[in-house]
């Protein structure tokens, strides 16, 4: 699209040139107009300091002129509104001061310059988590951005674990790939058996260093399979695959909503690298217990707590 627009600029210059003086007539006006057109087609990315601690860390740089986080957030929101009003696409990326300092040191850049901050923002936007600005308030955008960044970090860590498992000593197959295939198979079986409705799934898998958590939202109507968002589906399957490959205790909960009916909650526990159905009582106990305090939580009146259904033991195999 940009190449086409530049071609139009050159054609316009040729057609409106002043042959007497050898200068393109009207160049200043048409060039400015076309640059404005191109600017509207060039996306903008803003690196956002989401919390006050990160904001305070950036204040050590002389060229970072903000001194109040609340005012800073207001200015970011005003900028996003201004870009949107001009018809420009804008995305927001999470700016981490520690990662920025490391990036500058590795790249040989002076950290106390706007140009370095701009380069770092472009880097994290191309490889990290971003949120497209669609007019949402900054108080809505920040939690969404932080959640997406956490999901991205979880997925990268889980992928690293699977990649480092190597080959099975008995069959020679890649353990991480086999676990990923098995997790994909189990997820599809789960959604097929759950039927139509809006499905909300949560997978929890403990590792040596932290507890991995993945969330998946999907819908299925009566005419076809469940519609999966590619990135969210990959994140969920990867976290489940880690539990399968490491044979760690974990679990999956599925909540299904349908118009005019109670929500249904099913559950499974990860055991020996597979998903075993929980009983209705176990699902109720798990869902109605505070994970942090262990205290009971009142059950929801419009929810039916159900046993997990059998997902089968057919291929792909879960063990090698």
């Amino acid at each position: 699209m940009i190449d086409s627009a530049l071609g139009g600029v050159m054609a316009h210059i040729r057609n409106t040139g002043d042959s007497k003086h050898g200068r393109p007539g009207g160049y200043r006006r048409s060039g400015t107009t076309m640059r404005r057109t191109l600017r509207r087609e060039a996306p903008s990315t803003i690196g956002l300091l989401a919390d006050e601690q990160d904001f305070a860390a950036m204040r050590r740089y002389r060229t970072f002129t903000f001194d109040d986080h609340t005012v800073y957030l207001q200015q970011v929101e005003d900028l996003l509104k201004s870009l949107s009003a001009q018809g420009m696409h804008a995305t927001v990326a999470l700016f981490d001061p520690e990662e920025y300092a490391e990036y500058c040191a590795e790249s040989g850049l002076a950290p106390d310059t706007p140009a370095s901050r701009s380069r770092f923002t472009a880097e994290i936007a191309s490889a990290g988590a971003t949120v497209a600005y669609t007019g949402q308030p900054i108080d809505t955008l920040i939690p969404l951005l932080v959640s997406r960044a956490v999901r991205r970090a979880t997925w990268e860590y889980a992928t690293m674990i699977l990649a480092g498992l190597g080959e099975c000593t008995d069959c020679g197959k890649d353990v991480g790939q086999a676990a990923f295939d098995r997790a994909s198979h189990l997820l599809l079986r789960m959604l097929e058996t759950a039927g139509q409705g809006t499905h909300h799934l949560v997978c929890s898998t403990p590792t040596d260093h932290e507890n991995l958590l993945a969330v998946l939202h999907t819908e299925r109507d009566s005419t076809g399979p469940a519609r999966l968002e590619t990135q969210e589906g990959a994140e969920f399957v990867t976290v489940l695959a880690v539990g399968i490959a490491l044979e760690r205790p974990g679990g999956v909960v599925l909540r299904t909503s349908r118009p005019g009916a109670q929500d249904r909650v099913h559950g499974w526990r990860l055991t020996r690298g597979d998903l075993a159905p929980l009983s209705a009582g176990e699902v109720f106990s798990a869902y109605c217990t505070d994970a942090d305090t262990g205290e009971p939580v009142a059950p929801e009146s419009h929810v039916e707590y159900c046993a997990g259904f059998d997902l089968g033991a057919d291929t792909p195999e879960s063990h090698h």
Side-chain angles (χ1 to χ4, degrees), residues 227-299:
R227 297 185 292 274
L228 290 176
E229 193 276 319
T230 303
Q231 184 62 38
E232 197 174 68
E235 292 165 358
F236 187 91
V237 169
T238 304
V239 170
L240 177 56
V242 169
I244 291 173
L246 299 182
E247 297 191 354
R248 297 293 177 85
V252 174
V253 173
L254 164 68
R255 179 167 179 160
T256 299
S257 303
R258 299 186 182 95
Q262 287 186 320
D263 285 6
R264 296 172 61 88
V265 177
H266 302 267
W268 296 260
R269 81 164 49 85
L270 264 170
T271 176
R272 299 186 62 187
D274 218 334
L275 287 177
L278 295 175
S279 67
E282 289 173 321
V283 172
F284 178 88
S285 177
Y287 214 79
C288 299
T289 302
D290 188 289
D292 295 324
T293 66
E295 296 296 320
V297 177

Side-chain angles (χ1 to χ4, degrees), residues 26-91:
Y27 171 78
R28 183 181 300 276
R29 183 175 64 253
S30 61
T32 300
T33 299
M34 291 307 298
R35 282 194 297 274
R36 288 173 179 169
T37 300
L38 289 173
R39 183 69 187 93
R40 287 196 296 268
E41 296 183 10
S44 296
T45 304
I46 296 174
L48 179 67
L49 296 159
D51 61 50
E52 293 190 15
Q53 183 176 354
D54 287 345
F55 179 83
M58 290 301 294
R59 289 193 62 198
R60 69 177 183 268
Y61 299 119
R62 179 186 56 81
T63 58
F64 185 79
T65 57
F66 289 96
D67 56 12
D68 184 278
H69 189 235
T70 300
V71 173
Y72 162 79
L73 293 179
Q74 292 172 347
Q75 292 296 317
V76 169
E77 186 169 21
D78 289 344
L79 175 58
L80 289 169
K81 290 179 179 178
S82 175
L83 294 172
S84 179
Q86 297 174 54
M88 296 169 59
H89 176 74
T91 58

Side-chain angles (χ1 to χ4, degrees), residues 144 147-148 151 187 191 197-203 214-220 226-236 253-257:
L144 180 60
S147 174
R148 191 160 296 180
R151 281 175 42 200
L187 174 60
L191 294 175
T198 300
H199 305 298
H200 176 83
L201 299 97
V202 179
C203 177
V215 178
L216 175 64
H217 301 271
T218 184
E219 293 184 6
R220 183 183 180 189
R227 297 185 292 274
L228 290 176
E229 193 276 319
T230 303
Q231 184 62 38
E232 197 174 68
E235 292 165 358
F236 187 91
V253 173
L254 164 68
R255 179 167 179 160
T256 299
S257 303

